[in-house]
Amino acid sequence: MRAPKDCRDMSELRVEIDALDAELIALLTRRATYIDRAAEIKSGNGLPANIPARVEEVVDNVRAHAGTAGLDQDLIEDLWRKLINWSIAREEVHLGRNDD
């Protein structure tokens, strides 16, 4: 990986951004495996997919990380709420509680 300042032109910069996007997808795929395991554990313990207190804990955590990193906390919260909603829907499917 090249540092942004070491990219001499847009072509080099785009290569690095594309590589980062691929890494982000890999991380999201890895996160999904943890969501699937959470659904298995929740099923065995009779827990629902949506646990509002945990949702807010996750949001608070990512807002804090975003603030520390100098990122827009509202943007990160919006992105994570979408991710959380997707994760809950995924768990619902695994728990057999999706009406769709």
Side-chain angles (χ1 to χ4, degrees):
M1 288 250 33
R2 274 189 202 143
K5 65 180 173 99
D6 295 332
C7 294
R8 297 172 302 207
D9 57 36
M10 288 303 298
S11 177
E12 289 180 0
L13 194 65
R14 288 179 181 135
V15 167
E16 299 304 323
I17 289 171
D18 290 346
L20 283 171
D21 288 347
E23 286 182 45
L24 288 169
I25 295 299
L27 287 170
L28 290 170
T29 301
R30 184 174 164 206
R31 189 182 194 281
T33 66
Y34 286 90
I35 296 304
D36 294 346
R37 181 62 180 139
E40 291 171 1
I41 292 169
K42 287 177 178 182
S43 179
N45 291 299
L47 296 170
N50 186 2
I51 302 173
R54 176 60 182 153
V55 169
E56 295 312 311
E57 180 183 8
V58 171
V59 169
D60 289 346
N61 286 342
V62 296
R63 283 186 67 88
H65 290 305
T68 299
L71 293 173
D72 181 327
Q73 291 174 306
D74 292 336
L75 171 63
I76 296 303
E77 179 176 343
D78 289 347
L79 291 170
W80 248 260
R81 285 198 185 274
K82 265 192 172 312
L83 180 60
I84 290 166
N85 288 338
W86 176 85
S87 298
I88 290 169
R90 185 178 179 96
E91 285 185 21
E92 289 286 356
V93 168
H94 286 286
L95 292 170
R97 298 181 189 149
N98 189 345
D99 296 330
D100 292 339

